[in-house]
């Protein structure tokens, strides 16, 4: 196919209506978070879902190292949180200071007021292009 570029694909996919989430983990005493819409339910038996994480992102190494991560499914009022946590170059330390959140029993931060929250443990990864597909068993 001629004329297909990363920019044209990004533009086309921007028209696909989807939910917005924030994926979080705790690694080396620091909260890590990213805004994501690339999450998918994988299996009901066992209960699993996946996230797709850009390999160049700081979040990538943190989620791979920790192996436990959370997904907060946002409502429309949480748009400012989604925008902040998708800002490249934001400070690593204290990035959740301006975002109301709590922790599950594993220490993973989850955003307050979310439509739903899910905590997963990584069971598989697959490198595909410039992303890693991270598959996790749902813990809660």
């Amino acid at each position: 196919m001629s004329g297909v570029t990363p920019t044209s694909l990004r533009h086309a996919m921007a028209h696909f209506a989807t939910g917005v989430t924030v994926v979080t983990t705790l690694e080396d005493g620091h909260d890590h978070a990213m805004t994501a819409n690339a999450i998918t339910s994988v299996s009901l038996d066992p209960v699993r879902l996946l996230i797709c994480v850009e390999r160049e992102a700081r979040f990538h190494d943190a989620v791979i190292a920790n192996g436990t991560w959370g997904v907060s499914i946002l409502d429309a009022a949480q748009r400012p949180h989604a925008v902040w946590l998708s800002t490249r170059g934001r400070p690593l330390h204290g990035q959740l200071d301006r975002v109301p959140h709590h922790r599950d029993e594993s220490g993973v931060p989850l955003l307050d007021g979310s439509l739903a929250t899910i905590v997963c443990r990584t069971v598989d990864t697959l490198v595909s292009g410039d992303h890693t597909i991270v598959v996790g068993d749902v813990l809660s």
Side-chain angles (χ1 to χ4, degrees), residues 29-132:
H30 299 288
D31 292 325
H32 295 262
M34 72 170 202
T35 301
N37 64 358
I39 71 160
T40 303
S41 172
V42 174
S43 170
L44 295 177
D45 186 18
V47 182
R48 287 190 174 152
L49 66 94
L50 67 77
I51 57 174
C52 297
V53 183
E54 183 181 22
R55 292 197 331 262
E56 294 288 320
R58 293 184 304 205
F59 186 83
H60 180 272
D61 292 343
V63 75
I64 296 300
N66 182 310
T68 302
W69 38 278
V71 176
S72 299
I73 300 173
L74 305 186
D75 74 6
Q78 293 173 300
R79 180 185 175 119
H81 305 324
V83 171
W84 167 244
L85 295 170
S86 67
T87 303
R88 289 189 184 272
R90 70 184 177 283
L92 171 62
H93 303 293
Q95 63 182 292
L96 288 180
D97 287 354
R98 62 173 77 178
V99 179
H101 64 281
H102 61 282
R103 297 184 186 281
D104 85 321
E105 58 198 36
S106 72
V108 169
L110 299 166
L111 275 60
D112 295 347
S114 296
L115 297 172
T117 57
I118 304 165
V119 176
C120 297
R121 179 179 302 119
T122 301
V123 295
D124 201 7
T125 60
L126 172 69
V127 173
S128 183
D130 59 1
H131 280 61
T132 297

Side-chain angles (χ1 to χ4, degrees), residues 3-19:
V4 177
T5 66
T7 302
S8 65
L9 178 61
R10 181 179 292 235
H11 178 74
M13 293 307 295
H15 296 291
F16 177 61
T18 185

